Amino acid sequence: MDSESSAAPSLTPVKVGICGLGTVGSGTFNVLIRNAEDIARRAGRPIVVEQVGARRDNPDCDTSSVNVTRDIFEVARNPDVDVVVELIGGYDIARQLVLEAIEHGKHVVTANKALIAVHGNEIFDAAAKKGVIVAFEAAVAGGIPIIKTLREGLGANRIQWVAGIINGTGNFILTHMRDDGRSFDDVLAEAQALGYAEADPTFDVEGIDAAHKLTILASIAFGVPLQFDLAYTEGLRKITAEDVEQADRLGYIIKHLGIARRTDEGVELRVHPTLIAKSRLLANVHGVANAVEVMGDAIGRSLYYGPGAGDEATASAVIADILDVARDTATDPRYRTPYLAFRGIDQGRRELPILPISKVVSAYYLRLNAVDRPGVLARIARILADLDISIEKLVQREAGHEGSASLIILTHRAVEENMDAAIAQLEALDDVEGSIMRIRVEGSDD
Ligand code: HSE
C-alpha cells in the first residue's frame, strides 16, 4: 500500500497555536476539531491545536482540553508550536506578534488584511530571511480561495484587471437598503451582530477594508509591492436612495467595488461605489457574498464567488493555509510558492507605478439639479465636450420643486482629471443648484 492510500496519517502532527478567539478564531478552532479526521487525511498528518492565546474565553468554543494562555506572545515563543495562527486583527500588536513568531522560526497563518497590506513587505522580508511560510488566504474575500487562484491557478496569465466586491459588510448593507428599504445604520448593526464587520466598522463603510484587500490582490496579480498608501478609497455613505433608484432605471446596480487594472501608464488601485451593468455577474452578488472577477490574457474573464465574511467561512480559508504549511514545510524555501506570487518584486515598483485617481479612466454617472430654462442643456453639454467628455445618455426628470429639473447624465469613458474640471465648472454655473453627485460606472464590456 503506498503512502497516499494509507487512511491513518502516521507522520508527526503539525502543532498549531491560535492567537485570538473572536469570530474567526473560534470558527477555526471549531472546524479544526470537527473535521480533524478529514483534515489529517488531506495533510497526511494530524493537525492539532497545541495552544490558544486569547484575552478571554469564547462561549462558542470549548477549549477545556487545550493549553490556553492570556499572553499571545507566549504562543509565538512556544517551542512546541510549529504554526502561529494570527487572528487578533489590527496593525501594531499583530505586527509584533507575527515578527516575533517569525523570529522564533514559526510559520505564520493570518487572516489579517490590514497587517498584510500595510506591513506585508516587512513581514515577507523577515520571513524570507528565516525561511518560514506566511500564508494569508483568509485575508481577502473570506472563504473564497482567491489568493491561491490568482497566485497559482492563474499563474500562466498576464493579469489585466481584477474587480471585486470584497467587503461583505458593505455589500450586506447595500443589498438590504435596496431590497428592504432599511436604513444604513440598522443594517450595519445587523452586520456587526453577525460578526461580519470590522472592530471599527468605518473600515467597512469607508472602503478601507476593501482597499487593504485590493492592495494584496494587485500585488499578486501584477507583481508589484504592497502599496496600500497609494490606494484610492471612497466610502458608501454618500449613496442616496435616489441614486439607487435612478441606477436601477438605467439598468445598473450600485456596488462598492475594488478595481485594480494594469494600464500602459501604471496600475489603477481604487475602491469606490460603482454603477455596474445588471448584465454583469458582479452586479448580482448580494448579501454578505463577495465575488472577484479576473481578466487574464489566457483565461479571459473568470469569476470567483462565495461568502466574504463569517466565522466558519473564513476559518475554511485559514485551515486551507494550515494545510499548505503542513505540506510545504519540508520543501526548500527557494522552491516554495513566493509569498506574493512573484520573485524579485522590487523591480515592479519602478516599472509599474500606482496611478493617482486623477489619471484613472472611467465612465461616469452624474446627477445634478438644474434650473429648467432654455439653453441649460447646451451649456452643460458644451462644458463636457470641451473637456473631451462624451455623453452616452441624458435623462431629465422633474426635481422636487417647481422650475427645477433633475438631470442624470451617463458619460463614456473619460480621464478623471477632466471630469473633476467639468464638475467644478458645472457647479459654478448659475443654472446648476447645489453639488453634483458623481459615481463611476462599469458597463457590460469593461
Ligand atoms: N469586515 C470584513 C467584511 C470581514 O465585511 O468583509 C472579512 O474580511
Side-chain angles (χ1 to χ4, degrees), residues 113 166-169 196-198 204 209 213 308-309:
K113 51 266 164 157
I166 45 179
N167 181 268
T169 302
Y196 301 156
E198 295 304 295
D204 297 293
D209 176 76
K213 295 166 179 169

Side-chain angles (χ1 to χ4, degrees), residues 182-248:
R182 288 170 59 194
S183 77
F184 190 102
D185 291 324
D186 178 38
V187 190
L188 172 59
E190 188 183 347
Q192 288 178 287
L194 289 166
Y196 301 156
E198 295 304 295
D200 176 353
T202 57
F203 274 41
D204 297 293
V205 299
E206 295 303 329
I208 298 162
D209 176 76
H212 286 145
K213 295 166 179 169
L214 189 69
T215 298
I216 298 170
L217 291 179
S219 280
I220 291 174
F222 308 129
V224 296
L226 297 155
Q227 294 163 85
F228 169 72
D229 50 331
L230 299 181
Y232 173 80
T233 56
E234 202 176 284
L236 269 183
R237 279 193 186 267
K238 71 175 205 176
I239 300 301
T240 65
E242 185 175 0
D243 295 311
V244 172
E245 189 192 323
Q246 300 294 359
D248 187 63

Side-chain angles (χ1 to χ4, degrees), residues 145-203:
I146 188 63
I147 300 289
K148 201 175 186 72
T149 300
L150 262 179
R151 191 176 54 198
E152 296 162 50
L154 300 180
N157 289 263
R158 183 175 168 86
I159 304 294
Q160 286 148 352
W161 52 258
V162 175
I165 295 168
I166 45 179
N167 181 268
T169 302
N171 205 40
F172 188 78
I173 292 172
L174 282 176
T175 301
H176 289 289
M177 283 177 68
R178 177 173 175 269
D179 293 353
D180 313 329
R182 288 170 59 194
S183 77
F184 190 102
D185 291 324
D186 178 38
V187 190
L188 172 59
E190 188 183 347
Q192 288 178 287
L194 289 166
Y196 301 156
E198 295 304 295
D200 176 353
T202 57
F203 274 41

Side-chain angles (χ1 to χ4, degrees), residues 108-110 116 124 132-140 144-159 162 216-224 226 292 294 299 302 304 317-325 327-328 335-343 345:
V108 171
V109 170
T110 177
I116 296 297
F124 296 135
V132 297
I133 300 167
V134 176
F136 48 93
E137 181 64 70
V140 181
I144 308 172
I146 188 63
I147 300 289
K148 201 175 186 72
T149 300
L150 262 179
R151 191 176 54 198
E152 296 162 50
L154 300 180
N157 289 263
R158 183 175 168 86
I159 304 294
V162 175
I216 298 170
L217 291 179
S219 280
I220 291 174
F222 308 129
V224 296
L226 297 155
V292 181
V294 181
I299 191 177
S302 57
Y304 309 89
V318 171
I319 295 169
D321 275 347
I322 298 173
L323 275 163
D324 271 353
V325 172
R327 297 182 192 112
D328 291 349
Y335 301 124
R336 289 184 192 142
T337 311
Y339 304 108
L340 291 169
F342 291 79
R343 295 199 191 277
I345 222 161

